[in-house]
Each structure stands twice: as C-alpha cells, then as structure tokens.
Amino acid sequence: MSLEFQLVDELREKLQEANLTKEQISKIVPPTLLKRHQHSLPAYEVNSYKKLKEEAHRRLNPQLPPAKPKIPRGQQKRYLQEFQDAKAAGKFAHLSEETLKQLEEEVKAAATDAEKAPQLQEFLQATQEEAGSSEACSPEHLQPRPQDAPASDQSSAAPVEEVIPPPPEFPSDPWQAFIDYMAAKPEATLPIPGSEGRVLERGKYKGKGIAVFTSGGDSFRISSSNVLQGMNAAVRAVVRMGLYVGARVFFIREGYQGMVDGGDAICEASWSSVSGIIHKGGTVIGSARCKDFRERSGRLKAAKNLINNGITNLCVIGGDGSLTGANLFKDDWPALLQILVKNGEITEEQSLKHSHLNIVGMVGSIDNDFCGTDMTIGTDSALHRIMEAVDAIAATAYSHQRCFILEVMGRHCGYLALVAGLTSEADYIFIPEYPPPQNWEDKLCDKLQQERAMGQRLNIIIVAEGAIDQQGQPISAEDVRKVIVNKLGMDTRITVLGHVQRGGAPSAFDRLLGCRMGAEAVLTLMEATPESEPCVVSLDGNQTVRVPLVGCVLKTQAVARAMHDHQWEEAVKMRGRSFARNLETYKMLTRLKPPKPAEGDKANGGTATLKRQDTLWNRDSSHGGYNLAVIHVGAPACGMNAAVRSFVRNSIYRGDTVYGIHDGFDGLIEGNVKEMSWAEVTGWIGQGGAFLGTKRSLPEKNLEVVAERFREYKLHSLLLIGGFEAYNSLVQLYEARGKYKEFCIPMVVIPATISNNVPGSDFSLGCDTALNEIVEICDRIRQSAQGTKRRVFVVETMGGYSGYLATLAGLAGGADAAYIYEEPFGIQELQLDVCHMAAKMAEGVQRGLVLRNENANENYTTDFIYRLFSEEGKGLFSCRQNILGHMQQGGSPSVFDRNMGTKMAAKCVTWLMDTMAKYRKEDGTVYCDDANTAVLLGLQGRSYGFKPVSELKALTDWERRIPKSQWWMFMRPLLRILAKHEAAYQEQGINVKEVEEALD
C-alpha cells in the first residue's frame, strides 16, 4: 500500500476513535481535501474497481428477452387463402354471421402466431376433409389444447407426408452451369454497393443470432486446412459490429467440424473475447477439415446445433470450397428441417422459427483465386512474405552471381507468382494460367545468358507450385534448375517458401480488408430477407460490394475447367482485367532490350513494325520520336522509383526518349537533366526513397527559366511524381500557359506522399508503406509492455493536417481512439475515451493504444493527451508516449506501392502518347492548351481516372493542404464501433480511488 493510503487509514482510525459524527468530521477535514479530482462538469461518478467490472459485465452480457417465433409471410398468406377458399365453398354456411366473423378474426390472429399455427393448420385440414361438421368449424377449435388432451379429429385421415428433396449436387460441368446461371440471372455477378459509411442505429437488430467461423480446405476440397493472415481482423469485426447492432454473436470453433460437433464448439462471443487478436496471424477460433459435413447426416447434426442455439445467420470466412459448402448447406436447409421434425429432434415451432438460413461469405485465400473480388483476405500478407524473401535473397545472389528459383504457392492460380514477379523484377515466371512456349528451355537460357553478358550478377525465377506446360504437364522448380545447370552451368539454388507465406503478422491492407468486410457482412445478414440469395462481401476498387455467391463460385470453377481444357487465353480473361493487365505489364517490363525495327521497315515514314517477345507491335512512325521528362516534387515516398522505372521502360519500349530531371525544379533550373536508359533503372522497383532526387521548391518564382529548359530539351510531355507540391506545381504550370507556350504540352501528376492529402485520388504512392510501418511499430510498442501491468500508449503520426495515417492505422492496429484535425474533439471526448479505457481494463484487457495526428489540435498536443491519460488513469493503468517521426517514410516499398507505381506509370505513358499524337503538329512539336491536358491520375472508388487540375483546384483546402472531401472519413464510425467498449457509450465517471470509498 502506498504512503498516501497509509496516511488516510491512520487519519480515519483516529477520527473513529474520537467517536465523531460525519458532520463533525466534515467540519474538521473537508472530503475535498482527500480527493484528487476537482472537476466541475461533467461530474465524476465514484465507482470501485469491483463495481465497474460488474457494471461492464452486465452491459456486455445483457439478458435479452427470448425472441417470439415468427411465421413467414408466404405461410401466412397460404393460411388465409385456404380459409377464404373454404368460406367461398360454403363450408361455413351453417354458422351465424356473428360466429363466422369471430372465426375469421381468430384465423387472422392465429396465422401470425407461431404458438397457434399448428392448431390452425389442423383446423384447415379438418375443414377440407369434413365439410359441414359443426365441431370442426367451431371457433373453439383454434384455442390451444393441453398437451395431454386427445385431438378431436383422431378419426380424420392423416395428412400426406411432404416429399423431402434429395441432397443438392455439384454441377458436373461448371462452365455450362455458369452459362445457364448467367442466362437466367444476367445480373448475377454485378456488384451491389455496400453500406459503408452509413449512419447505423445502435441496437437496431436486437435478438438476432449470428455465427462466425473460419474454414479452409474443408470437406469439399481434399487438402489441409488453411489459416490466413487477416482472418482474426474479420472475426473481430463481425463480433463487435454484431454486438453494436444488438445481435447475439457466436463462435463456431474448428470450422465445419465444430458446427457438426456442437457443444462447447459453439459458444457465445463477447466484446473482450476478440481483444488483442487483430495483429495475430491465423485464426483464434480454429479451422479444420470436416468430411462429415459432406454427407447429409453431418449437415443434419450441424442444422440441429444451429437451431438449438437460435442461429439462422452464418458468416463464413474461407475459400471457394468453404463458400461452396455454405451454399449447399443453405440449399439443403428446408429438407434438413423436414427430416429433423420427422425424427422428432426439433419441434414444428422451431422449424417455423428457423425456416430460412442466411449466408454471407468473406473470401480468405492467399491465392486470390476467387472470381468476384479484386483481393482476398491473406493475399497481400502472403505477397509481403514473398517480397521479404526476394529482397533477402537478392543480396546473396548478387554477391555470389547466383541464379535463385523461388517456388511460391498457387496450386490453381498464379496470382502470387505473377505479382511477385512484377514487383521484384524477376527474370522469368511460371504460372498455370499462362504456360511457357514449347521451347521454353531454350528461351529461358538465352535470356539468362544475355543478361549475364550485359553485366547482371543475379537472376530470380519464380515458379508457382501449380505451374504447367502447354500440354498440361507440371513444371517444378527442380525441372527449371536442371535446365539451367545442364545448359548454362550456372550456380542455381532453389528456395521453397511453403507455409512461410501463410505466417507472420497480417499486413495493414489485410487488417483493413478484414475489418471492412466483417462489418459489411454483419449488415448484409441483418438486412437479408427470406428471398435473399447468399452473397459474398468483396472489394471492387476501393469500395465494398456485395456479389451473389453462386455466380462467383460457378465462374471460379469455370476457370479451372478452362485451364483443364487448355484454353489459356480464356482462363486469363476470366481471372479479370487486373490479372490480364498484370500479365501484359510484366511481359513488357521484363524485355531484355528496347524493341528494334524489323527487317523490311521503311526508311522514311510509313509504318514501323517493332519486334516484341511473342507478337508484332504496329504503330505509325509519326507517333514516335517524342521527348518525355519525369520529375519529383515534394518529400520522398516509397514507390517513386517503381513508377520511374515503369515510365522509362514503357516509353523506351515505344521508341521514345526519356529525360530524368534530378532534384526537382531546382535541378531543372541548374540543368541537371540526363537521358535515361533501359538498363539504368534495373533494380529500382524495390528501393525506397527517390533516386532522381526531390525538392519541395515550386516553379512559380522561376517560370521563365523553367520554360527555357523545356524549350532547350524540346519536351513534348512531362510526368510529375510527388505529393501536394507536385499537384500545386502542375496547377502553376497550367495557369502560366497563357504566357509561356512551352507549358502547352500534356502534363500529368502521379500522387506520391505518405500523407495521402492530394485531391482527386483515394490513394497516393507511399501511404501504404507508411501505414504498414506505423502498424508494425505499434505492434512492437505494445509487445514491449508484455509482462507489465495495464498500460496505454499515446502515439503521434505524421500527415500534416490529413488524418489518413492516424485513422487507418488506428483501424488496422486496433487503436482505442485516433485524434485528427478533420474531426474536432474536446475535453468531453477525451474524458469519454478515458472512461472507455477504464471499462476496457476492467474486462481484463492489458493494453491500450491512442493515435494522434501531428496537427490534430494546437492545444491538445500529444504531450497533453499523454499527461491527461497518465493522471486520470492512476490506479488503473500507466501511460507512455511515442513520436514516430520519419520512420514512417523509410523502409522498402510495400507490394501495393510497387504494383501501384508500376501500373500508374504505364497508364500515364499510354495517356501521354495518345494526347501527344492528338495534338502533334506537322513540324513535330506538340501544342495543347486544353484543360484536359493537365491532369492528375488517381484511383477513386472502383477505377483509375485522369482529372484536370483546373477542376480539382476548387476541391482543395489550400490553407491546410488537404482535399475538402476525403473518402476515408467514412472509416471513422467503423473505427469507433470496433474500438469502443460498450460501457463507453454511457457517460460516467471513473474515480476508482479507494480513499474516497473509505470516506463514504
């Protein structure tokens, strides 16, 4: 006990020995002298630690009244229609008008009452069989009878048993089944926008039951169970969003096996049961194979267990096999209920109450092999593990002049190998959707030999585990190694990454994806109707959407069928536009040398034919010979080098010249401009920073010199890569076109800044890498306090006035609060967060995390918030503060930034080429003053787009250097819902000092 408590106890004992009353004690020693807190408003309520814990437990586990069974609307209509038919047939003609009216009212009431529904059904059957019977048609027949009372119509014929349909089967021809399904429902694969950002009413769906389970490699696939990074984030989101809307949420442990076994495998979840899991890989609720679920007998057990727990809403997190099983379960549900009723395992009332099963899926697969979503949970984290291995191997391979072969996962889909090859500058890839040519052995060796002759010291080849040749025969990493060793004699090593790709902490992207999908899945289930089809919550661009499950599953199976039939082009096409673009970009960027004119080309004008790897590329010679320049403006950001590499090689590939402007506009003014070559940008894609150099200087004060440099190098177009300064620079160049004709050329900006504060784009290069750095550091910070008592960390992030990093890092890191400039906060919000932290600690949670953007508030600084939590948390938790600083800008670019930079630069080259060709004059110069020729390339919603900076200018808060509208503000409600303890929604004090309790 502290000295303070000892003094108080001594004082209390002396006062008790004096036998003084409370009034006398208060005159001698005012209670306020022994209280630490002298707050006025809002008043603090005195609670002991024990009382606070009991109150939190009561709020987190409310005793909800049992939901009254409901009869489906279609069943109600059928009952009423049968009664009207009997009435029209004159079967109630013997009854008086008053009695008939009373009977009709009771029939209407019984049609909506599950308790009276069996008697109503019996009454209607008796009416049809015994026309004119006064006993059968009496109103008293609808009153519930005691269970032991014999039925009044035992002599009537037994009802005809309903035919139980056979179990559903998988289609033997998935492609034909997909064609038939699309013909019947052409909108089957069209995405429906989700509810993200919508204001939600707390407790709106009280009484509903939701179950969540994770499954991989289930009974419908003979494979090991798969657990993926990001699953825990999805589970956490489902539980906390479900509790927020008032539903009861259940865990089903060990996937389908737990559903079949029942018992303790199905348990109710609480808010604290998912605390501290968002940063963990795998799944905390387990995943296992289940052969029993493949048979109807196993599904009968699963259905009974769900009904006994009041569950009619299932959230499935797994691959296409798991989702296929869930869809089969839903199709078989009515038949399963009939069998359970017939066997006496459930009652008719239970059958009516649980007559419909709602299914929603979230795709978890590192292969990204599910049609209907751009990214699946676990894919980004797996790519992170692959990139870490590639970056580590590159160093030793370069030192020893070795050739390394990496085998990555992808039994049926080559997405991992393709993107890994694209973002690591791999020399060759082998994927199942695009087998190598017949003589791939010779082509591979020729390429490696030429690269070594040019001075390249390392070679990386990536092989998907499901790689095949043109005849469908497997190509293993060992097969590739033997070819290289036997033909070239190179020192070649194999690295099989295996399950390393499934391990480790999930990336920030997968955590955010799991959070967004989990929350949307709950809302989808709550809004489902008996007529709703099972759907998959997926990601389309930057938007959560709902896609029908059946169409996606059939299309995914059709891709496998196309590959089996050696229809490679069809398989690539069905994988989606993103997959096809990745493949085409990879083939172009990995060419050894720029194209050379083929024999027979015309010397003067006409059409030039340029050799490519597999095809001939025809273009008019008047479209060639352009001079393009690339420049960085602003702070460095990861992904800049990847964009420059892609821009240089795309431009040279088309036969044009690229100038690299070093050190921004300062370097341009000084003439620090150099022509860039194909080999010069080798190895740039995986490097952070900006090799061209960058400065924050704007061109406004030196427009005349800048125009002179443009004229000196005869520039036909310009690419600017940078943050808000690059965007502002283009605005200045565009507005100066009237004075300097040199600026009347196509110009485009690729936003690149960790602050993500450039208007016209949802994402900027570098912000994903910074987000991963913040999340990883926060994980380490919390881990550093392992073994200590309860502790809260206050962390400051960068971003200027943009709260992007703080908000999304808070969501991905499981933060309790994130303070930003865009959402004003005051002392009441801070007090509420302290209350939340106390309620959270009362549940046994040991760690707390609070993020603050560097410019969130000029008065409520990071140090102020740290001191506030330190003072108010005395006796409950300790507090520490951390300012991350420029660590957020460092590190190697993430896979997302590498890929995004590569694609955006390729799109810019295409746009610049088309625009220059459109405005090219006869003398070879380019002149354009249209507003649509000075643009910014950004990803907004579901697609990339070029937007004139003249239009974006009105959407910009120039004083604070942020857009006036920012999409990620829609993430703020989700952040609060997933972070705030339920007790925090009630305003209460948290003075838990036992000193004050002793004075009462």
Side-chain angles (χ1 to χ4, degrees):
M1 183 178 292
S2 65
L3 177 62
E4 176 187 3
F5 289 126
Q6 293 179 12
L7 294 175
V8 171
D9 287 342
E10 292 176 4
L11 176 61
R12 182 180 59 193
E13 291 174 359
K14 291 181 179 180
L15 293 175
Q16 288 176 351
E17 291 175 357
N19 293 324
L20 300 177
T21 63
K22 286 189 175 182
E23 291 76 11
Q24 293 173 327
I25 294 176
S26 62
K27 292 179 180 179
I28 300 173
V29 183
T32 54
L33 295 179
L34 299 178
K35 292 185 178 181
R36 283 203 172 89
H37 303 282
Q38 304 294 331
H39 301 286
S40 54
L41 291 176
Y44 272 47
E45 181 181 316
V46 180
N47 289 317
S48 69
Y49 183 84
K50 182 178 179 182
K51 290 180 180 178
L52 184 62
K53 185 174 181 179
E54 291 175 352
E55 178 68 13
H57 184 272
R58 182 184 65 80
R59 286 180 177 149
L60 290 174
N61 299 276
Q63 297 297 323
L64 298 175
K68 189 176 181 180
K70 294 183 180 180
I71 299 178
R73 190 180 299 274
Q75 188 75 2
Q76 297 177 23
K77 292 182 178 179
R78 185 170 66 82
Y79 287 150
L80 298 177
Q81 186 61 43
E82 290 180 2
F83 178 79
Q84 294 298 331
D85 293 343
K87 180 180 176 182
K91 294 186 178 182
F92 306 119
H94 62 287
L95 299 179
S96 64
E97 183 176 353
E98 183 178 354
T99 303
L100 180 60
K101 185 176 181 180
Q102 180 183 358
L103 175 63
E104 187 169 3
E105 291 177 354
E106 292 188 4
V107 168
K108 290 181 180 179
T112 59
D113 192 339
E115 295 179 356
K116 295 183 178 180
Q119 286 76 31
L120 175 60
Q121 187 173 5
E122 188 177 351
F123 166 72
L124 294 174
Q125 290 178 354
T127 301
Q128 296 174 359
E129 296 169 1
E130 300 181 8
S133 172
S134 60
E135 181 181 0
C137 301
S138 63
E140 289 77 10
H141 189 87
L142 294 179
Q143 300 300 323
R145 296 192 307 271
Q147 293 183 0
D148 298 333
S152 61
D153 55 348
Q154 290 292 329
S155 59
S156 63
V160 179
E161 182 178 356
E162 189 173 354
V163 178
I164 299 176
E169 297 179 354
F170 295 105
S172 57
D173 187 350
W175 176 243
Q176 186 59 45
F178 173 69
I179 294 176
D180 296 341
Y181 181 80
M182 290 298 296
K185 299 180 179 181
E187 75 287 352
T189 56
L190 296 179
I192 301 172
S195 304
E196 201 167 61
R198 190 183 63 186
V199 177
L200 299 175
E201 180 183 349
R202 183 175 178 80
K204 182 178 181 180
Y205 300 101
K206 287 184 178 180
K208 289 196 174 185
I210 301 175
V212 57
F213 66 97
T214 54
S215 176
D218 58 86
S219 59
F220 302 95
R221 289 276 186 94
I222 304 176
S223 63
S224 59
S225 56
N226 301 333
V227 291
L228 311 168
Q229 308 97 317
M231 279 186 166
N232 285 329
V235 171
R236 172 178 175 270
V238 170
V239 171
R240 293 192 174 176
M241 178 60 78
L243 294 175
Y244 178 82
V245 299
R248 298 180 65 192
V249 187
F250 294 84
F251 290 143
I252 301 180
R253 301 186 182 278
E254 310 304 334
Y256 283 109
Q257 188 64 53
M259 193 186 303
V260 173
D261 295 341
D264 294 338
I266 302 178
C267 58
E268 192 164 359
S270 65
W271 190 91
S272 60
S273 64
V274 290
S275 293
I277 68 171
I278 193 171
H279 64 283
K280 296 181 179 179
T283 167
V284 296
I285 58 177
S287 175
R289 288 182 294 176
C290 179
K291 295 182 180 179
D292 296 337
F293 196 80
R294 189 180 184 90
E295 305 297 330
R296 175 171 270 186
S297 59
R299 295 196 292 275
L300 277 171
K301 295 178 182 179
K304 180 182 177 182
N305 291 328
L306 293 182
I307 292 173
N308 289 338
N309 286 280
I311 300 170
T312 55
N313 299 286
L314 282 183
C315 183
V316 188
I317 308 174
D320 63 317
S322 304
L323 299 178
T324 302
N327 184 64
L328 182 143
F329 192 34
K330 177 177 173 61
D331 292 342
D332 205 19
W333 185 259
L336 297 176
L337 295 185
Q338 293 181 43
I339 297 174
L340 291 173
V341 172
K342 180 180 177 181
N343 296 340
E345 299 184 65
I346 64 173
T347 64
E348 187 69 33
E349 290 80 3
Q350 287 179 305
S351 176
L352 291 174
K353 180 181 177 180
H354 305 90
S355 58
H356 294 89
L357 180 67
N358 297 317
I359 299 286
V360 65
M362 288 181 280
V363 188
S365 169
I366 67 170
D367 295 338
N368 199 29
D369 57 350
F370 192 80
C371 298
T373 182
D374 288 349
M375 285 289 282
T376 58
I377 297 174
T379 301
D380 188 71
S381 298
L383 286 170
H384 274 247
R385 302 292 91 78
I386 295 173
M387 284 300 100
E388 290 170 1
V390 170
D391 292 345
I393 285 174
T396 182
Y398 187 87
S399 301
H400 295 281
Q401 297 192 58
R402 283 175 177 164
C403 178
F404 269 87
I405 303 172
L406 269 73
E407 182 182 294
V408 301
M409 287 186 171
R411 185 171 302 174
H412 305 288
C413 178
Y415 183 85
L416 288 180
L418 175 58
V419 176
L422 182 62
T423 55
S424 66
E425 296 188 70
D427 300 283
Y428 221 90
I429 62 171
F430 294 87
I431 60 175
E433 293 89 347
Y434 193 80
Q438 297 285 357
N439 59 337
W440 65 268
E441 297 93 341
D442 296 334
K443 290 198 171 186
L444 172 62
C445 292
D446 290 344
K447 190 173 191 300
L448 296 178
Q449 201 168 21
Q450 292 179 36
E451 287 177 340
R452 286 297 175 91
M454 293 176 61
Q456 185 166 323
R457 296 176 58 88
L458 67 94
N459 298 101
I460 295 177
I461 300 170
I462 297 180
V463 181
E465 61 179 339
I468 54 178
D469 60 18
Q470 293 284 348
Q471 285 72 40
Q473 297 301 315
I475 299 177
S476 66
E478 180 60 26
D479 295 334
V480 179
R481 190 194 71 84
K482 289 180 179 178
V483 169
I484 298 174
V485 172
N486 294 336
K487 291 195 173 186
L488 300 179
M490 286 186 180
D491 187 2
T492 306
R493 305 297 171 90
I494 295 177
T495 299
V496 180
L497 297 184
H499 282 74
V500 170
Q501 298 157 86
R502 299 189 188 277
S507 67
F509 183 92
D510 273 334
R511 300 187 197 193
L512 292 170
L513 187 62
C515 291
R516 296 174 69 179
M517 283 188 172
E520 185 64 32
V522 171
L523 299 180
T524 304
L525 287 173
M526 295 297 95
E527 297 169 3
T529 64
E531 294 76 24
S532 298
E533 284 192 50
C535 70
V536 176
V537 176
S538 61
L539 189 69
D540 189 358
N542 188 33
Q543 182 177 351
T544 56
V545 295
R546 307 171 184 178
V547 187
L549 171 61
V550 177
C552 296
V553 169
L554 289 176
K555 187 174 182 181
T556 302
Q557 295 174 348
V559 174
R561 182 59 181 269
M563 292 167 57
H564 180 269
D565 295 339
H566 298 176
Q567 298 176 359
W568 314 118
E569 293 183 2
E570 190 67 27
V572 171
K573 181 180 178 181
M574 286 192 292
R575 283 291 184 208
R577 291 180 300 172
S578 177
F579 188 94
R581 284 197 298 263
N582 281 332
L583 181 59
E584 183 62 26
T585 304
Y586 170 79
K587 290 190 295 184
M588 189 278 301
L589 290 178
T590 53
R591 284 178 51 85
L592 183 60
K593 296 179 181 180
K596 296 181 179 180
E599 295 182 2
D601 286 351
K602 297 181 180 180
N604 299 316
T607 300
T609 305
L610 302 182
K611 290 286 186 179
R612 297 181 70 178
Q613 285 181 335
D614 303 314
T615 60
L616 291 177
W617 179 47
N618 295 319
R619 66 172 174 84
D620 191 276
S621 62
S622 62
H623 293 178
Y626 296 118
N627 295 329
L628 299 85
V630 56
I631 186 174
H632 293 319
V633 187
C638 288
M640 282 182 163
N641 292 327
V644 172
R645 169 184 175 269
S646 177
F647 180 75
V648 169
R649 291 201 171 180
N650 269 282
S651 301
I652 296 177
Y653 179 67
R654 297 170 185 260
D656 300 305
T657 302
V658 182
Y659 290 102
I661 302 174
H662 293 257
D663 300 327
F665 281 101
D666 288 348
L668 177 63
I669 294 171
E670 296 172 0
N672 194 0
V673 182
K674 298 179 181 178
E675 182 178 348
M676 305 192 72
S677 65
W678 184 277
E680 184 179 354
V681 293
T682 299
W684 280 31
I685 194 169
Q687 302 298 319
F691 286 164
L692 282 181
T694 180
K695 294 287 184 66
R696 295 180 180 270
S697 303
L698 301 178
E700 187 174 28
K701 297 181 180 180
N702 300 283
L703 289 174
E704 185 174 350
V705 181
V706 172
E708 182 181 348
R709 295 302 183 194
F710 275 39
R711 184 168 57 253
E712 177 183 349
Y713 290 97
K714 300 179 180 179
L715 298 183
H716 297 104
S717 63
L718 176 67
L719 171 66
L720 299 93
I721 305 175
F724 198 88
E725 291 85 359
Y727 160 65
N728 194 5
S729 297
L730 183 54
V731 172
Q732 294 176 5
L733 294 177
Y734 166 73
E735 293 178 345
R737 279 180 168 179
K739 187 175 181 180
Y740 303 99
K741 67 176 182 178
E742 289 80 7
F743 302 149
C744 294
I745 58 175
M747 296 180 287
V748 60
V749 172
I750 293 179
T753 169
I754 68 169
S755 302
N756 198 31
N757 61 337
V758 180
S761 182
D762 292 347
F763 296 101
S764 301
L765 289 180
C767 64
D768 182 74
T769 304
L771 199 59
N772 277 283
E773 292 294 329
I774 296 172
V775 170
E776 183 178 353
I777 293 171
C778 288
D779 288 347
R780 293 181 180 179
I781 288 174
R782 285 188 292 193
Q783 187 182 27
S784 69
Q786 196 71 29
T788 64
K789 294 182 179 180
R790 296 174 292 271
R791 180 164 292 173
V792 175
F793 294 95
V794 180
V795 178
E796 180 184 298
T797 67
M798 296 177 72
Y801 284 96
S802 173
Y804 171 85
L805 289 179
T807 297
L808 268 70
L811 189 59
D816 301 280
Y819 304 123
I820 62 173
Y821 170 80
E822 294 89 343
E823 189 174 86
F825 62 96
I827 194 65
Q828 291 185 347
E829 286 77 15
L830 292 170
Q831 177 186 332
L832 186 63
D833 288 334
V834 176
C835 295
H836 151 66
M837 204 68 70
K840 174 181 175 180
M841 298 297 179
E843 288 296 303
V845 181
Q846 297 292 311
R847 301 288 170 264
L849 177 64
V850 175
L851 298 180
R852 177 189 176 273
N853 172 251
E854 59 183 350
N855 289 339
N857 189 292
E858 61 181 350
N859 294 315
Y860 298 127
T861 62
T862 301
D863 185 66
F864 174 89
I865 295 174
Y866 156 69
R867 293 178 181 274
L868 174 67
F869 273 81
S870 297
E871 177 64 23
E872 299 296 323
K874 285 183 178 179
L876 273 179
F877 53 80
S878 60
C879 192
R880 298 288 186 273
Q881 70 168 321
N882 293 270
I883 298 176
L884 302 185
H886 284 76
M887 285 189 293
Q888 300 158 82
Q889 284 185 328
S892 299
S894 67
V895 179
F896 183 92
D897 281 332
R898 299 185 193 192
N899 201 6
M900 184 179 178
T902 300
K903 287 185 177 180
M904 292 185 79
K907 287 181 177 293
C908 287
V909 171
T910 302
W911 181 85
L912 289 172
M913 292 297 173
D914 294 341
T915 308
M916 287 187 294
K918 179 180 178 181
Y919 291 98
R920 184 168 185 172
K921 301 172 67 175
E922 293 183 358
D923 59 358
T925 60
V926 175
Y927 181 89
C928 54
D929 56 2
D930 189 352
N932 293 323
T933 58
V935 299
L936 179 142
L937 173 60
L939 172 64
Q940 284 190 314
R942 295 161 56 187
S943 61
Y944 287 94
F946 293 91
K947 297 178 176 58
V949 293
S950 59
E951 297 179 6
L952 296 176
K953 186 177 179 181
L955 307 177
T956 307
D957 181 348
W958 291 96
E959 181 181 355
R960 296 171 183 84
R961 296 157 54 89
I962 57 175
K964 293 181 179 178
S965 176
Q966 304 180 77
W967 71 269
W968 48 263
M969 288 298 293
F970 290 115
M971 298 290 102
R972 299 289 298 179
L974 179 60
L975 170 64
R976 286 190 292 270
I977 290 173
L978 299 186
K980 296 299 184 188
H981 192 285
E982 185 166 353
Y985 287 96
Q986 305 292 331
E987 291 190 9
Q988 60 177 354
I990 61 150
N991 196 333
V992 297
K993 300 299 182 185
E994 296 182 4
V995 176
E996 294 184 353
E997 191 176 35
L999 290 173
D1000 291 338

